[in-house]
Amino acid sequence: MISLKDVTKRYGSKRALDQVNLELTSGKLIGLVGENGSGKSTTLKLIAGLNHPTNGEIKVSGNKVDRRIAQSVSYLSELDEYYRFFNVRQSIAFYASQFKDFDQEKAYEILKFMKLNPNDKLKHLSKGNRGRLKIVLSLSRNVPVILMDEPFSGLDPMVRNSIVKGLISFIDLEKQLVLITTHEIREVENILDEVIAIKDGSIIGHHNVEQLREEKHTSIVDWMTDIYE
Amino acid sequence: MADIFQSSQPIYQQLAERLKRQIIRGELSPGDKLPSVRETGIDVSVNPNTVQRTYRELESMQIVETRRGQGTFVTEDELILDSIREEMKAKVITDFVRGMQEMGYSDEEIQSGLTNYLKEKGEENI
Amino acid sequence: MNAWLFLTKKEFRLGLPSFLMVLIFFSGIIAGGVFAGNQFGFEDEFMSIALAIVLGLHTLFLVVYLYYSLNAERRRLHLWLHTPMSIAGLLASKLFTGVVYMLSTFIISIILAIQSFKNTFSFVHQESLFNSIGSTSVIVLIAALFMGSVFLLFWSVYLTFSQKWNDFISFLLTVVLIFVSVWAYAGLLDIPFLQALTNWGAIHAGDIFIGFEMSYIEDSFDIQTMEEATVFYIGHFVRDIFFAVIMFIAACWIIERKVEV
């Protein structure tokens, strides 16, 4: 579904990713974890075609990635910037007009689940509700790949919990692959199928989470602490 | 919410244990339909793939059965249900006894302790 | 296409504040003209000067508009660029809304200008007036489009620079590049071959000012100077539009290949 082959990304002289190889299959919720600046966001942007690899090749569903991969990839940025003159309903309508696979019905279902008011202006939304709206917009597409960059960061526990529930409720794990970056592992450890640890631009571990628990009797957090040293 | 599971043990096993307890306690009766994979996932905040695995596991132990197009149901086979009861009892007793023995209690002490405890508790309830 | 129309609707809303700012600015200039006219007499003359300034400033309308709109987008490139639409579609939407906004103030200005010029230059023949206003409009609008494309090109260059260096250095580099480009472009226009290619469709002052005005003007000015100062070529318009399109395509290419979020 997603494959990275010897992918290196340099920003000037700084190496953000170093010879990364990754093979991700559909139907899974995958966590990409690591410290700030370890290359998590870069990886997501590269898969979304919003950054370009310095070397190597990235493919999604067999197609070489460029910006237009947006057709089959839904990308949620960690940034909190939307068109503030829209209200919630207009934001949904705008997204629906830009993406053919956007499912308005699903959007309103998630909206209801997240307890958002369609008439609220974006500029009046609280940070938590903006975080919820981002989830609505990115999960409403019937798209094979969903990329979420730090969906929990800066949000209070209640919002995080509703996002976790929203993920379980509205992702179609028969058809979709969800790749999520976070450093709040505890928040997601019960919903991940796989976990990938990244450090200084290199992948240092990639496991099935249940296997990790079954074979090594260790939690993701302990495993992370272990290999990160 | 996430605290109902231990993060260092496979969640599919913990969830299976949890469902077995619910069956023994009678929260789930023979013939009851289990919530869908997604519903259970939402309820306990667990990945639906993991719930799916739990259901498969329980099915292979014949504790539940999946009827095509209808869902997953608790078995009505009394023999199997009895054996779960016995198995869970044995498991809890094993854990208890091992804990007591680790602290150095003799078998007699454990037995009399347990008898006394049950007697006192029985009196309280009267 | 439907997606593009929705996008364009968004662009109208996004660019509205800059349109209003320009509108207020232009109104201020005209109000200034009216005020000065009242103060010193010569109402029509001051009004005409104010309107001439406003019409001339339209050459920079698209630059201001695009600056505002693209700057707003720069903070959310991850949203703007995360779409299956082509960059050409994205930029065309901005350009289109900018042109619509520009035309709305331009047409109002022209109508006011015709009224005012008629009174100020009452000695000029009606037809000459229309001719000169018509040709001025073409010059201003094409210049505006040209400048808009220049801005798009160097904005995308600036964005590319700013991925490597900080904003200030990127800005300096872009400015240097603009000077070099202007110098190179001027050199290019001097090439005899290009001149031969574009110096066609000459329009002289005489083609604009008809009848006795020509002789009137001849009396006042040296006709030679007048001729030289006011001759322009339709071929140059075509050349400018051609280069505007080239710059637009270049901007698209740069944003698609080089700009990262």
Side-chain angles (χ1 to χ4, degrees):
Chain A
M1 175 100 293
I2 298 178
S3 79
L4 278 76
K5 222 189 255 166
D6 294 324
V7 171
T8 296
K9 176 65 185 169
R10 273 192 220 95
Y11 294 111
S13 57
K14 193 180 157 277
R15 197 174 293 214
L17 284 188
D18 192 11
Q19 300 258 325
V20 166
N21 284 291
L22 210 51
E23 199 69 48
L24 306 177
T25 49
S26 187
K28 285 182 184 147
L29 234 157
I30 302 166
L32 182 60
V33 297
E35 304 169 328
N36 284 332
S38 55
K40 288 176 300 189
S41 292
T42 303
T43 307
L44 254 54
K45 286 177 190 170
L46 286 169
I47 298 171
L50 292 167
N51 277 11
H52 319 294
T54 313
N55 281 311
E57 193 178 57
I58 306 168
K59 283 184 173 171
V60 170
S61 315
N63 299 316
K64 206 165 168 252
V65 163
D66 59 24
R67 191 185 57 82
R68 305 266 201 119
I69 202 71
Q71 228 160 11
S72 41
V73 171
S74 172
Y75 169 77
L76 181 146
S77 165
E78 63 186 318
L79 297 176
D80 188 16
E81 279 286 353
Y82 276 79
Y83 295 112
R84 292 165 67 87
F85 45 78
F86 279 151
N87 63 23
V88 172
R89 176 182 290 117
Q90 289 164 333
S91 298
I92 290 175
F94 178 65
Y95 261 68
S97 74
Q98 300 302 298
F99 297 102
K100 284 199 195 96
D101 53 22
F102 194 94
D103 184 345
Q104 292 222 49
E105 227 168 276
K106 192 174 179 184
Y108 280 97
E109 236 179 276
I110 308 177
L111 202 70
K112 217 169 126 194
F113 178 85
M114 297 282 185
K115 298 193 174 65
L116 288 173
N117 179 354
N119 295 320
D120 280 350
K121 281 231 175 202
L122 259 58
K123 60 180 163 199
H124 297 140
L125 284 189
S126 64
K127 190 171 167 55
N129 279 342
R130 287 202 301 272
R132 287 184 168 109
L133 178 63
K134 274 162 71 166
I135 302 293
V136 174
L137 295 174
S138 61
L139 292 192
S140 297
R141 290 182 59 195
N142 292 320
V143 72
V145 176
I146 298 177
L147 308 172
M148 306 178 114
D149 202 359
E150 298 284 352
F152 304 107
S153 80
L155 302 176
D156 62 52
M158 260 189 28
V159 183
R160 291 191 223 167
N161 193 37
S162 69
I163 292 176
V164 166
K165 298 250 179 201
L167 283 172
I168 304 169
S169 315
F170 297 106
I171 288 172
D172 185 354
L173 279 176
E174 283 176 14
K175 296 186 199 127
Q176 295 182 312
L177 182 160
V178 180
L179 182 59
I180 187 168
T181 71
T182 183
H183 45 248
E184 335 227 0
I185 305 170
R186 281 180 207 284
E187 218 62 60
V188 291
E189 63 181 346
N190 286 353
I191 63 167
L192 294 183
D193 288 292
E194 288 177 12
V195 62
I196 302 165
I198 184 168
K199 186 185 182 187
D200 300 331
S202 297
I203 306 284
I204 54 170
H206 182 178
H207 281 281
N208 177 300
V209 174
E210 288 281 79
Q211 232 168 4
L212 203 64
R213 296 188 184 111
E214 197 155 20
E215 288 166 10
K216 306 199 172 162
H217 305 290
T218 176
S219 69
I220 302 178
V221 179
D222 293 339
W223 170 74
M224 271 287 288
T225 336
D226 224 36
I227 60 169
Y228 232 80
E229 273 153 14
Chain B
M1 205 53 190
D3 300 342
I4 62 173
F5 297 109
Q6 275 190 11
S7 52
S8 57
Q9 294 302 321
I11 288 173
Y12 82 94
Q13 286 176 0
Q14 297 182 57
L15 187 59
E17 289 295 305
R18 195 180 141 92
L19 286 170
K20 279 194 234 169
R21 279 167 202 272
Q22 286 182 333
I23 293 171
I24 291 167
R25 280 202 299 262
E27 287 170 26
L28 286 168
S29 309
D32 272 4
K33 186 174 185 279
L34 292 182
S36 75
V37 164
R38 196 183 287 265
E39 279 163 1
T40 302
I42 296 165
D43 185 36
V44 295
S45 288
V46 161
N47 187 321
N49 285 339
T50 310
V51 180
Q52 185 68 54
R53 187 160 175 203
T54 301
Y55 282 20
R56 270 208 310 275
E57 203 78 9
L58 291 174
E59 206 181 340
S60 72
M61 295 188 267
Q62 290 177 312
I63 296 168
V64 301
E65 54 188 35
T66 300
R67 293 177 211 152
R68 191 187 286 250
Q70 295 184 54
T72 306
F73 296 83
V74 178
T75 183
E76 289 175 280
D77 186 335
E78 292 294 335
L79 273 175
I80 290 171
L81 291 171
D82 283 345
S83 77
I84 310 169
R85 267 180 71 86
E86 287 305 312
E87 181 203 315
M88 293 295 276
K89 186 175 85 184
K91 198 178 165 212
V92 174
I93 290 175
T94 309
D95 287 348
F96 167 72
V97 171
R98 186 185 298 138
M100 295 297 278
Q101 284 174 338
E102 267 173 17
M103 288 185 285
Y105 292 97
S106 70
D107 288 1
E108 288 76 29
E109 280 175 304
I110 296 172
Q111 240 166 12
S112 66
L114 191 59
T115 314
N116 282 340
Y117 174 78
L118 288 173
K119 212 161 119 195
E120 276 170 35
K121 223 186 156 218
E123 277 163 9
E124 266 173 40
N125 288 349
I126 296 168
Chain C
M1 200 56 207
N2 193 33
W4 192 82
L5 290 178
F6 265 90
L7 176 69
T8 302
K9 200 172 138 196
K10 179 217 96 183
E11 293 302 342
F12 271 120
R13 182 58 192 80
L14 181 70
L16 185 63
S18 70
F19 170 68
L20 293 177
M21 283 182 314
V22 169
L23 196 64
I24 290 167
F25 180 62
F26 284 170
S27 307
I29 293 176
I30 293 172
V34 172
F35 175 77
N38 281 336
Q39 205 73 359
F40 307 109
F42 309 111
E43 279 95 349
D44 288 323
E45 285 78 359
F46 274 106
M47 184 70 173
S48 294
I49 292 169
L51 285 166
I53 293 172
V54 167
L55 285 178
L57 283 177
H58 273 89
T59 49
L60 295 173
F61 189 110
L62 284 179
V63 172
V64 172
Y65 178 82
L66 289 172
Y67 170 77
Y68 178 88
S69 184
L70 288 169
N71 212 32
E73 225 63 92
R74 194 186 167 200
R75 278 179 288 144
R76 41 179 94 86
L77 283 179
H78 60 94
L79 276 186
W80 188 52
L81 295 178
H82 181 54
T83 160
M85 190 173 293
S86 66
I87 297 291
L90 291 174
L91 290 182
S93 179
K94 289 199 182 296
L95 211 51
F96 174 78
T97 52
V99 168
V100 169
Y101 277 139
M102 173 174 74
L103 285 180
S104 65
T105 62
F106 191 77
I107 288 170
I108 295 170
S109 311
I110 282 285
I111 291 169
L112 293 174
I114 289 173
Q115 287 306 317
S116 172
F117 289 176
K118 250 195 227 169
N119 298 334
T120 313
F121 308 106
S122 47
F123 51 88
V124 177
H125 197 278
Q126 273 284 13
E127 203 173 322
S128 307
L129 193 65
F130 283 122
N131 280 348
S132 57
I133 284 181
S135 48
T136 308
S137 300
V138 172
I139 292 170
V140 168
L141 294 181
I142 287 178
L145 278 174
F146 189 81
M147 295 299 284
S149 303
V150 170
F151 180 77
L152 283 181
L153 177 61
F154 287 102
W155 184 77
S156 52
V157 167
Y158 167 72
L159 269 197
T160 311
F161 283 158
S162 70
Q163 282 160 208
K164 260 194 174 167
W165 298 289
N166 68 35
D167 284 2
F168 179 69
I169 292 177
S170 308
F171 180 73
L172 278 187
L173 284 173
T174 309
V175 170
V176 169
L177 193 65
I178 289 174
F179 275 111
V180 172
S181 306
V182 168
W183 173 78
Y185 186 65
L188 183 73
L189 296 190
D190 272 345
I191 295 174
F193 173 68
L194 192 74
Q195 288 193 337
L197 216 57
T198 58
N199 286 3
W200 51 269
I203 298 173
H204 300 274
D207 300 329
I208 293 173
F209 295 99
I210 57 158
F212 87 104
E213 278 111 40
M214 231 21 232
S215 47
Y216 176 86
I217 292 169
E218 242 173 299
D219 289 340
S220 327
F221 307 96
D222 179 43
I223 186 67
Q224 277 311 110
T225 327
M226 185 72 192
E227 281 277 296
E228 263 169 39
T230 57
V231 79
F232 46 90
Y233 298 93
I234 296 177
H236 288 187
F237 294 151
V238 175
R239 178 198 69 200
D240 287 352
I241 291 172
F242 175 78
F243 278 110
V245 170
I246 295 284
M247 286 187 288
F248 182 83
I249 293 170
C252 291
W253 188 88
I254 291 172
I255 296 174
E256 186 77 85
R257 303 296 172 92
K258 297 290 169 200
V259 171
E260 301 187 326
V261 307

